[in-house]
Amino acid sequence: MKHEEAFYVGYVTKSRGLKGEVQVFFEFDAYEQLTFDVVFADMNGKLVPYFVASAKLQANKTGYFNFDDVDHIDKAQPLLKKKLYLPIAQMPERDEDEFFYTDLKGFTAVDETLGELGEIIEVNEYPQQFVATVLYRGTEILFPLNEDFIIEIDDEEKILTLALPEGLLDVYLEN
């Protein structure tokens, strides 16, 4: 399986107990809708399949997994901090009118005051908010995606119009 054929669901945070059980933190919003027969761990750029023996999902965006052939804490160690993927065919269907901040990747960010900032090259979810990354004047800048800063989202033109706080970009451009 190649990365293009899979979607990211989360990563292994730690091992639990002595029998190889691991805790997974989900960064995919609808993780409870996913089917976990096999997950693919990113091991040095290659997606390696791990067959799920058991999975217990928790309400706090975590789950506890046992994998076939990972029956001891030592066998679980190589999985720690590894990103996990599922085949794209297993991605749940979304309603047409559903929109997520992660859908903004590839949009052009335009600030009301500063003009065009550039293409959004990444959208990351942090515990408190989503953050977009843009390459502006050769420097990666980050800005929060929230209702206070977003003026308009133009789906057809793929333009995100913002009113960023004064001085936010100065933090990145001072050097």
Side-chain angles (χ1 to χ4, degrees):
M1 168 138 332
K2 296 184 173 100
H3 279 84
E4 305 83 57
E5 301 168 353
F7 67 99
Y8 174 66
V9 293
Y11 62 94
V12 177
T13 55
K14 61 184 178 180
S15 59
R16 179 177 170 201
L18 300 174
K19 295 188 177 174
E21 186 175 48
V22 295
Q23 181 184 51
V24 172
F25 179 77
F26 293 105
E27 293 188 296
F28 187 81
D29 286 331
Y31 69 94
E32 61 280 338
Q33 295 176 16
L34 300 174
T35 304
F36 297 103
D37 300 325
V38 60
V39 297
F40 293 84
D42 186 334
M43 307 297 256
N44 301 320
K46 294 202 183 314
L47 293 181
V48 177
Y50 282 86
F51 294 91
V52 177
S54 69
K56 293 174 268 196
L57 302 182
Q58 307 295 311
N60 61 353
K61 293 190 89 171
T62 63
Y64 295 104
F65 284 73
N66 285 308
F67 299 113
D68 292 350
D69 302 325
V70 181
D71 56 2
H72 190 272
I73 188 171
D74 292 340
K75 291 182 180 177
Q77 292 305 309
L79 283 167
L80 298 185
K81 308 294 182 223
K82 298 297 185 218
K83 291 181 176 182
L84 300 178
Y85 295 82
L86 286 176
I88 284 182
Q90 291 184 350
M91 187 181 287
E93 295 279 328
R94 292 190 346 197
D95 293 336
E96 279 185 32
D97 58 347
E98 269 188 300
F99 187 84
F100 299 110
Y101 281 131
T102 52
D103 295 337
L104 292 171
K105 187 173 176 179
F107 275 54
T108 300
V110 178
D111 182 69
E112 281 191 320
T113 310
L114 300 167
E116 187 174 316
L117 302 175
E119 181 181 332
I120 297 174
I121 55 176
E122 195 61 56
V123 176
N124 292 304
E125 182 181 3
Y126 293 104
Q128 307 301 321
Q129 65 192 352
F130 285 86
V131 175
T133 305
V134 172
L135 196 60
Y136 179 70
R137 295 185 186 167
T139 305
E140 267 192 10
I141 61 163
L142 305 168
F143 56 87
L145 292 170
N146 65 42
E147 293 173 10
D148 297 336
F149 302 145
I150 295 175
I151 305 297
E152 180 185 10
I153 298 172
D154 184 340
D155 265 345
E156 289 182 18
E157 297 292 323
K158 289 192 160 250
I159 295 174
L160 172 66
T161 307
L162 303 155
L164 293 177
E166 191 175 325
L168 177 70
L169 296 188
D170 296 339
V171 172
Y172 294 98
L173 301 175
E174 283 179 352
N175 297 338

